[in-house]
């Protein structure tokens, strides 16, 4: 059912982090959020690449706007009653733009956002050819973000892409600087081994986020290992999206080749199964009850 966002989603996410490492499936629209929530996810990650690829059909190179990201965030938080952390690219501009980003994303009902220290237009964190801004410029954005919170529990997560540009040493130094600037958590992107994740853990004493994306520079590492390494959040930004993409390719190809969907029925959710997932009967029931009360 549509519902108002949690009163303090940031506080709820902090509670979950205090209890255990939080597994955060990546979602990209309302229905993906519904399915992840109904599968048992206690928190979600709203993927910037997912929004950009799914809604716009273009590469993740800063072509999505703050308005589009905030709108998708609102769709997600209205249907999934769990805390949602969202990608916010580079903050959609400089420090003053970051202020508006925090205001809009918090108003959308999110638990928090992460902003990254790449030069805009940014690139996927697991591609080469990136550039990073001066550490002091990113620190200024973090201070602006922290100063703009309405809810002190709203998480400002600082992502650094320095590993693939300047090396691990720079990643560690930037992480320390960003913590000093007020970041609530650190997201070291593009690390290449468990040892590097461990080095970041030793360097800072704030919550850490690990990106367990596929086909990138980071090896596949299970959540249990991240728990041992002391990471509070593990995101799987495009896992479901990539599975969906392959299924769509296969379905469209088969439909166009054969002219019928007859051989695909056993790979579909039925009409009833779809209605169950989107709570169709609950909407009907509410509508009838309001009519009867009149």
């Amino acid at each position: 059912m549509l519902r108002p966002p949690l009163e303090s989603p940031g506080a709820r996410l902090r509670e979950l982090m205090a209890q255990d490492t939080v597994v955060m499936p990546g979602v990209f629209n309302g229905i993906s959020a519904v399915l992840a929530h109904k599968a048992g996810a206690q928190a979600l990650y709203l993927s910037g690449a997912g929004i950009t690829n799914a809604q716009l059909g273009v590469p993740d190179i800063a072509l999505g706007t703050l308005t589009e990201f905030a709108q998708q965030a609102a769709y997600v938080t209205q249907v999934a009653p769990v805390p949602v952390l969202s990608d916010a690219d580079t903050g959609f501009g400089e420090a003053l733009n970051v202020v508006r980003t925090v205001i809009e994303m918090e108003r959308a009902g999110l638990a928090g956002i992460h902003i990254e220290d790449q030069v805009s237009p940014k690139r996927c964190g697991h591609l080469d050819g990136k550039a990073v801004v001066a550490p002091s410029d990113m620190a200024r954005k973090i201070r602006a973000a922290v100063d703009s919170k309405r809810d002190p529990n709203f998480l400002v997560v600082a992502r650094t892409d320095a590993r693939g540009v300047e090396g691990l040493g720079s990643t560690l130094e930037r992480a320390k600087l960003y913590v000093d600037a007020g970041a609530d958590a650190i997201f070291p992107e593009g690390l290449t081994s468990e040892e590097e994740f461990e080095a970041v853990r030793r360097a800072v004493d704030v919550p850490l986020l690990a990106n367990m994306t596929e086909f990138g520079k980071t090896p596949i590492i299970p959540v249990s290992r991240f728990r041992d390494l002391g990471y509070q959040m593990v995101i799987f930004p495009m896992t479901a999206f990539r599975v969906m993409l392959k299924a769509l390719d296969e379905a469209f190809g088969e439909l166009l080749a054969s002219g019928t969907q007859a051989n695909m029925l056993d790979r579909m959710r039925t009409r009833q199964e779809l209605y169950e997932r989107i709570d169709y009967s609950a909407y009907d029931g509410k509508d009838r009850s309001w009519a009867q009360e009149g």
Side-chain angles (χ1 to χ4, degrees):
M1 284 290 291
L2 290 172
R3 53 178 67 80
L6 298 172
E7 183 174 345
S8 179
R12 178 56 183 152
L13 182 53
R14 289 170 188 266
E15 290 173 4
L16 292 171
M17 288 193 292
Q19 296 166 9
D20 197 0
T21 300
V22 184
V23 180
M24 306 175 77
V27 300
F28 45 90
N29 59 15
I31 190 61
S32 62
V34 167
L35 295 179
H37 161 57
K38 291 202 170 187
Q42 297 187 71
L44 302 176
Y45 174 69
L46 182 55
S47 165
I51 292 173
T52 305
N53 296 165
Q55 308 307 322
L56 306 181
V58 299
D60 182 24
I61 50 174
L63 295 175
T65 66
L66 168 59
T67 301
E68 289 165 326
F69 274 54
Q71 183 65 76
Q72 290 302 320
Y75 291 152
V76 165
T77 60
Q78 286 170 10
V79 295
V82 295
V84 181
L85 179 76
S86 179
D87 188 349
D89 280 358
T90 60
F92 302 100
E94 297 306 319
L96 289 173
N97 303 94
V98 170
V99 171
R100 183 159 183 253
T101 294
V102 170
I103 291 171
E104 294 295 334
M105 299 297 254
E106 192 173 358
R107 182 158 56 188
L110 293 168
I113 59 172
H114 69 73
I115 57 176
E116 63 201 60
D117 58 6
Q118 279 197 52
V119 172
S120 188
K122 53 75 60 81
R123 292 170 62 83
C124 169
H126 289 257
L127 293 180
D128 296 325
K130 298 177 294 180
V132 289
V133 299
S136 59
D137 290 342
M138 179 62 173
R140 182 166 67 247
K141 287 186 179 185
I142 294 167
R143 287 191 289 269
V146 172
D147 285 349
S148 306
K149 296 182 187 184
R150 288 178 300 172
D151 181 355
N153 289 305
F154 185 82
L155 273 84
V156 173
V157 180
R159 169 177 146 177
T160 177
D161 286 66
R163 172 62 184 87
V165 182
E166 301 174 341
L168 181 62
S170 176
T171 297
L172 303 181
E173 290 305 313
R174 283 173 179 264
K176 294 173 187 176
L177 178 63
Y178 300 165
V179 171
D180 291 342
D184 297 300
I186 295 294
F187 172 0
E189 178 65 306
L191 302 189
T192 61
S193 68
E194 292 185 17
E195 290 73 21
E196 292 188 351
F197 283 103
E198 189 172 13
V200 176
R201 175 73 284 170
R202 289 196 303 267
V204 295
D205 189 23
V206 296
L208 293 176
L209 181 152
N211 181 7
M212 193 59 319
T213 192
E214 305 85 15
F215 312 113
K217 296 183 179 297
T218 304
I220 298 296
I221 301 171
V223 170
S224 59
R225 182 61 182 136
F226 281 117
R227 182 180 294 114
D228 294 340
L229 292 168
Y231 278 67
Q232 282 70 32
M233 295 172 278
V234 183
I235 61 172
F236 294 80
M238 295 290 280
T239 303
F241 184 93
R242 290 188 172 105
V243 172
M244 177 198 72
L245 195 64
K246 184 175 181 180
L248 287 174
D249 281 340
E250 292 172 350
F252 289 139
E254 186 172 334
L255 178 63
L256 293 169
S258 66
T260 178
Q261 75 276 51
N263 292 328
M264 293 187 278
L265 296 179
D266 62 347
R267 287 153 36 203
M268 295 183 187
R269 289 298 183 197
T270 65
R271 182 183 300 271
Q272 182 58 36
E273 288 170 337
L274 169 61
Y275 289 172
E276 288 170 357
R277 280 155 180 77
I278 58 176
D279 297 321
Y280 199 118
S281 62
Y283 286 88
D284 257 358
K286 277 289 185 184
D287 198 36
R288 284 195 300 270
S289 73
W290 294 325
Q292 291 167 1
E293 288 171 8

